């Protein structure tokens, strides 16, 4: 790894003193000492509390609704139905119309005539306290006429299917297509598929997940003049402000949004929620401050969900292992409505299915489908984990079909470090990377040869606990920006970010950032960046964020964009401060600006080191304004916006060893190693936290989490009793390391890290489990790979192959054919060069 002394000089001159240091987070002190300001902690004079009545039906017509009985309950001040706000509530916005023909049914915050998923809001009670409001919900009289429930995506698109929305012609929201031959990149896909020597087809299922953030969503609204102030547990205060103004027809300058301390998001708070709109409507109607805080069960049922895709994947190759074509068809469940970026999430994945590999041709087709389920939207990784899972699973399946080493197949087809920058078949230009270095380091740390030998030995003695080895080599596009690219994809907003640096008279520094952290450590990392750029002490930097009044411009935090977009805006603002200060220093030192050197926070005259002015001295000189250059305004403050020219492309290699008890189906992660390349690192302590958290979420998808609906559309995993989250005790110790290939598209050379662990870990775990089960002819286990599913897969595989699930069978070939750990006995092939795979 690159050491701190090898890093390039920063703008202030000299080696970086702060960037690269594992600084403890500034943010943690007030969190650990109970001084946190969560939205639900806020109490305003005269504040009222809301409780929301939610539909118990997945699809029904509201035939009668009377809220007046609730008014007689103690402490109740008001109650409203959707009809009371029918003319003012607007529609929850969708900012990403992915095709001109995309169908958006509209989404009232309070249902008026019809409900389309369990948990949809149908009425609201306002009371003096939360308990009184909640108790009064039972007094509301409501009748429903059940309608057919649509849950299966493929059935929803069939001719004559029941409709989620009666006013629409079908349950299809959109069909989005990318085809390499017609897009100016790669060869015609049909030609390549038709000439294939080997074809492998698989169907993978991305189960529905729930962003189980620590802090439930909460909103407080204070009416103010013709507008309002909103405090919200949100990732996107700036976007929320604009969208609320448009939705509620309120002048944007009369809307202020504040995101105080926010307890996690994972995409689940990247949203304009019905509850935020409802709280604003009630507060304005009553002229009183109003608060709504969801229960955990409401959060699991009504906050948007993630993933939920069916992936039909076809990969073609020559018999020597050279991949040629990739054909992807997705069904993506939108749920009942389109939320803020629902349609765009699977489209982001479109550019990542080809991953680190060189394909001649590529086709991607995504069908967005309405069902009577909670809407889906962004969940950590947003489209990229789904793509990485599919390509890394199908690469393993191709290796089995070819009888080839799994890692060797990857090495044969990935982009070599000498080939960067490289334009992929999907049209993206990867600027830098070194997959070889990351993989070699990961194999070394993992001890692959030793584990492969153990795997072979366990198979030879028919051990009931089998060992599987999993590989995931990945890259991702992150730093959600460039504005022109987002515009080409029909996204409503841009991707730039803004930052302001204010030099105070005392020489202290205020940084105002448009990014809105919710656990990422921006206050610490931005302080490190500014300390190096301006040569001021780390402790002298204060970072302000999350308030659209103090931080007027910004596009917030998601998509691993904070550092690679927002952090670079901070760098540019610092450079503007230095340029302003240089002019003043030249004036006070009676020197030419070109003769000044800036290092360690001080300007000196070349050749006259005794003649100097520190940045702190210049800040006070500006404050006093006694002797300024002619025409210079009395401030050193600067604002900068940064709109990157490209995404950033972190990458890495993740390796996983899983022990599978073939008698119970229980899977235990024995060892997990990841080597990530995220470019230069600002704070390695924060990076480690991001990687560990990401790994936990990706492993949770592989082994634990799934949102499940019954045949009537009821969420049967509506509490943490049923929706299984792993604890620290359920996860292994992680071995992590980094290689460094600097980004060439920003001055710090940094890449994103917030989603990397989530993106890479899921296929590594599932590949390991499937590798352990290859002797039974098993080529997939649907996630989450619970003990029951693994046991059933073993039982069905044994029944099909005539093998004993208890391990007392003739095992056939080992799944490890070399020190890199590849292949299997190839079971599942029909010998024609084309294999089909289903779910077990």
């Amino acid at each position: 790894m690159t050491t701190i002394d090898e890093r390039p000089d920063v703008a202030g001159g000299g080696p970086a003193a702060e960037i690269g240091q594992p600084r403890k987070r500034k943010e943690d002190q007030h969190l650990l000492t109970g001084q946190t300001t969560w939205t639900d902690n806020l109490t305003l004079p005269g504040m009222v509390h809301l409780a929301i009545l939610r539909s118990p039906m997945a699809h029904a017509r509201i035939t009668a609704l009377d809220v007046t009985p609730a008014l007689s309950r103690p402490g109740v001040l008001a109650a409203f139905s959707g009809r009371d706000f029918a003319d003012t509530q607007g529609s929850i916005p969708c900012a990403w119309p992915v095709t001109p023909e995309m169908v958006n049914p509209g989404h009232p915050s309070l249902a008026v005539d019809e409900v389309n998923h369990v948990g949809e809001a149908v009425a609201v009670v306002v009371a003096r306290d939360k308990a009184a409001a909640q108790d009064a919900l039972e007094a509301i009289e409501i009748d429903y006429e059940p309608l057919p429930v649509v849950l299966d995506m493929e059935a929803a698109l069939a001719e004559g299917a029941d409709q989620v929305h009666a006013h629409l012609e079908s349950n299809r929201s959109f069909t989005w297509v990318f085809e390499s031959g017609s897009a100016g990149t790669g060869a015609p896909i049909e030609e390549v598929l038709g000439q294939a020597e080997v074809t492998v087809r698989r169907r993978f299922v991305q189960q529905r997940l729930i962003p189980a953030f620590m802090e439930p969503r909460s909103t407080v609204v204070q009416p103010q003049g013709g507008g309002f102030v909103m405090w919200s547990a949100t990732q996107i205060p700036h976007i929320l402000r604009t969208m609320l103004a448009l939705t509620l027809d309120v002048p944007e300058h009369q809307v202020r949004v504040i995101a105080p301390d926010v307890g996690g998001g994972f995409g689940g708070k990247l949203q304009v929620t019905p509850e935020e709109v409802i709280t604003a409507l009630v507060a304005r109607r009553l002229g009183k401050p109003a608060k709504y805080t969801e229960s955990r069960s409401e959060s699991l049922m009504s906050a948007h969900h993630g993933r939920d895709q069916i992936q039909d994947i076809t990969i073609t190759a020559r018999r020597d292992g050279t991949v040629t074509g990739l054909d992807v068809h997705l069904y993506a469940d939108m749920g009942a409505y389109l939320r803020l970026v629902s349609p765009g999430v699977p489209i982001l994945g479109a550019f990542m299915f080809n991953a680190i590999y060189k394909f001649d041709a590529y086709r991607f087709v995504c069908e967005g489908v309405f069902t009577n389920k909670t809407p889906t939207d962004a969940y950590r990784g947003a489209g990229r984990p789904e793509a990485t899972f599919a390509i890394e699973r199908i690469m393993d399946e191709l290796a089995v079909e070819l009888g080839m080493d799994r890692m060797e197949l990857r090495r044969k087809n990935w982009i070599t470090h000498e080939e960067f920058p490289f334009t992929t078949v999907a049209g993206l230009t990867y600027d830098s990377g070194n997959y070889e270095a990351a993989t070699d380091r990961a194999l070394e740390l993992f001890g692959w040869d030793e584990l492969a030998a153990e795997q072979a030995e366990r198979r030879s003695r028919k051990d009931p606990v089998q060992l599987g080895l999993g590989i995931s080599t990945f890259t991702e596009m992150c730093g959600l920006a460039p504005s022109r690219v987002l515009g080409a994809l029909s996204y409503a907003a841009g991707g730039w970010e803004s930052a302001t640096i204010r030099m105070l008279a005392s020489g202290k520094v205020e940084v105002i950032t448009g990014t809105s952290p919710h656990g990422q450590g921006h206050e610490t990392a931005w302080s490190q960046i500014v300390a190096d750029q301006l040569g001021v002490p780390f402790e002298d930097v204060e970072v302000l964020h999350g308030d659209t009044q103090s931080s007027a411009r910004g596009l917030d935090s998601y998509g691993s964009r904070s550092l690679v977009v927002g952090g670079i805006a901070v760098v540019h603002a610092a450079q503007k401060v230095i340029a302003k200060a240089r002019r003043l220093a030249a004036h006070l030192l009676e020197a030419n600006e070109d003769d000044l050197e800036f290092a360690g926070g001080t300007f000196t005259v070349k050749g006259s080191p005794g003649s100097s002015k520190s940045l702190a001295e210049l800040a006070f000189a500006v404050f006093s304004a006694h002797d300024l250059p002619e025409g210079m305004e009395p401030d050193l403050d600067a604002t900068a916006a940064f709109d990157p020219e490209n995404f950033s492309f972190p990458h890495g290699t993740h390796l996983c060893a899983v022990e599978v008890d073939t008698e119970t189906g229980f899977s235990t992660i024995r060892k997990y190693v990841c080597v990530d390349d995220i470019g230069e690192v600002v704070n390695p302590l924060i990076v480690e936290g991001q990687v560990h958290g990401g790994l936990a979420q990706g492993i949770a998808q592989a082994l634990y989490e799934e949102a499940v609906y019954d045949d009537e559309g009821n969420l049967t995993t509506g509490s943490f009793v049923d929706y299984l989250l792993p604890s620290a005790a359920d996860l292994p110790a992680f071995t992590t390391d980094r290689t460094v290939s600097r980004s060439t598209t920003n001055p710090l050379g940094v890449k994103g890290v917030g989603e990397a662990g989530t993106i890479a870990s899921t296929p590594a775990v599932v590949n390991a489990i499937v590798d352990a089960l290859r002797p039974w002819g098993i080529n997939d286990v649907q996630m989450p790979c619970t003990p029951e599913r693994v046991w059933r897969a073993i039982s069905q595989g044994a029944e099909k192959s005539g093998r004993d699930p208890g391990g007392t069978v003739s095992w056939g070939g080992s799944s490890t054919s070399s020190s890199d750990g590849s292949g299997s006995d190839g079971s599942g092939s029909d010998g024609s060069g084309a294999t089909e795979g289903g779910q077990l």
Side-chain angles (χ1 to χ4, degrees), residues 103-117:
V103 176
N104 185 351
H107 182 1
S109 55
L110 272 171
V112 178
D113 298 310
E114 187 173 298
V115 293
N116 291 291
H117 67 90

Side-chain angles (χ1 to χ4, degrees), residues 364-377:
F364 174 92
V365 178
C366 178
E367 300 188 66
V369 186
F370 292 119
T371 63
N372 291 118
K373 301 178 189 175
T374 300
T376 59
D377 208 294

Side-chain angles (χ1 to χ4, degrees), residues 259-278:
D261 291 315
V262 177
F266 312 120
K269 294 174 183 173
L270 199 177
Q271 198 55 257
V272 180
T273 71
E275 294 81 7
E276 287 163 333
V277 173
I278 291 167

Side-chain angles (χ1 to χ4, degrees), residues 175-188:
T175 300
W176 193 92
V177 180
F178 176 91
E179 195 164 320
S180 58
S182 58
T185 59

Side-chain angles (χ1 to χ4, degrees), residues 334-346:
M334 299 291 100
Y337 300 106
L338 300 181
R339 290 282 181 92
L340 190 64
V341 294
S342 301
V345 169

Side-chain angles (χ1 to χ4, degrees), residues 589-609:
L589 294 171
E590 298 181 343
N592 189 294
E593 288 186 41
D594 294 337
D595 291 332
L596 295 184
E597 295 177 330
F598 181 66
T602 299
F603 288 96
T604 57
V605 179
K606 294 176 183 177
S608 302

